[in-house]
Amino acid sequence: MTGFSATVLTLYPEMFPGPLGASLSGKGLEKGIWSLETVQIRDFATDRHRSVDDTPAGGGPGMVLRADVVGRALDSVAADDRPRLLMSPRGRPLDQGRVRELAQAPGVVILCGRFEGVDERVIEGRGLSEVSIGDYVLSGGEIAATVVLDAIVRLLPGVMGKVSSGSEESFETGLLEYPHYTRPQVWEGRTIPEVLTSGDHGAVARWRHERAEEITRERRPDLWRAWRDARGTDPARK
Ligand code: ADE
């Protein structure tokens, strides 16, 4: 197997590749930089009705994905070194550090939850690592899996071209990004900040850094504190 290999287990394989088939990730798929395979969980049901879920033990609303069905679906996927994720609002929140780590792996296996949840025994028994994309509830893990894959794929060598280092992006430096401008020079009476057209590269870099600090301080005090603390312990950074 070459390239980054993604396998998504879902009840809705028709949701893939979806947006991942377009733009940079779509080109990456065509070029074979990464591959995407879906597994229909329902194919591993064994009863007449092909049921994949059942009522929660102990009562309560909703339905729970069955451990036996999900277990068989997972076991149908080649046992290799790929991390196995379960998309769930209960998971550890995704951040750029985790995305970078995942992009170093040979691929990922992603189980998309639906209904109220997945039987806890299969999460434990197959060592699934739960990942959340934010503190809100989606109707299923498919869109969350799409988000995770998009974030990973754009970091794969050969996908992003010139800007592939992404080293000045939000979350890569620890600060949010500075504002961007392009022609026209005047739009609806608003001008491009003079320093950006001055040709003074040092002044441009200082201006961008200051704006990045200011935006981070105002919008994300949590990131600002983390960045300041990290800088405090590393005298090499200014
Ligand atoms: N499934 C439903 N909501 C989710 C979320 N916020 N993150 C990951 N998977 C989910």
Side-chain angles (χ1 to χ4, degrees):
M1 198 163 6
T2 60
F4 184 91
S5 156
T7 301
V8 177
L9 296 90
T10 170
L11 290 166
Y12 301 95
E14 66 275 18
M15 290 176 75
F16 295 89
L20 298 170
S23 189
L24 290 177
S25 52
K27 292 219 177 67
L29 265 181
E30 278 170 25
K31 287 200 249 171
I33 295 171
W34 73 293
S35 65
L36 177 62
E37 158 197 53
T38 56
V39 172
Q40 168 56 274
I41 297 169
R42 198 173 296 283
D43 290 345
F44 297 88
T46 49
D47 65 330
R48 273 195 312 131
H49 304 291
R50 299 227 294 159
S51 25
V52 293
D53 58 340
D54 209 333
T55 53
M63 299 290 272
V64 176
L65 278 177
R66 289 168 54 142
D68 55 346
V69 177
V70 169
R72 280 192 295 272
L74 282 165
D75 293 346
S76 79
V77 176
D80 51 28
D81 294 340
R82 293 180 293 167
R84 294 173 163 211
L85 313 181
L86 166 63
M87 301 317 304
S88 152
R90 238 176 46 170
R92 186 173 124 208
L94 186 72
D95 61 20
Q96 192 65 20
R98 183 80 178 280
V99 171
R100 269 195 301 266
E101 254 171 54
L102 290 169
Q104 298 293 318
V108 275
V109 177
I110 306 182
L111 173 63
C112 300
R114 279 266 153 184
F115 315 110
E116 286 310 297
V118 178
D119 190 305
E120 192 70 19
R121 294 169 294 178
V122 76
I123 302 175
E124 292 167 7
R126 292 296 178 273
L128 303 181
S129 144
E130 293 182 66
V131 176
S132 167
I133 64 158
D135 292 343
Y136 41 80
V137 182
L138 304 168
S139 51
E142 286 77 9
I143 292 174
T146 302
V147 167
V148 171
L149 289 173
D150 182 273
I152 292 172
V153 165
R154 61 189 288 285
L155 298 185
L156 300 175
V159 171
M160 268 213 334
K162 188 164 166 274
V163 283
S164 64
S165 74
S167 56
E168 291 198 10
E169 284 174 356
S170 294
F171 310 116
E172 290 292 351
T173 59
L175 294 174
L176 299 177
E177 253 187 299
Y178 51 79
H180 302 279
Y181 300 87
T182 188
R183 282 180 286 266
Q185 169 63 29
V186 184
W187 177 75
E188 295 189 348
R190 298 166 190 267
T191 56
I192 296 178
E194 227 167 87
V195 57
L196 296 181
T197 48
S198 68
D200 181 342
H201 300 302
V204 169
R206 280 191 299 279
W207 182 88
R208 285 179 169 166
H209 185 80
E210 282 158 18
R211 292 290 82 72
E213 284 196 353
E214 183 179 289
I215 287 170
T216 308
R217 198 167 51 231
E218 281 171 16
R219 300 184 186 177
R220 291 291 301 272
D222 57 327
L223 293 180
W224 173 247
R225 272 190 300 275
W227 184 79
R228 234 186 15 194
D229 292 351
R231 201 178 49 158
T233 58
D234 181 359
R237 287 176 70 171
K238 53 168 188 57

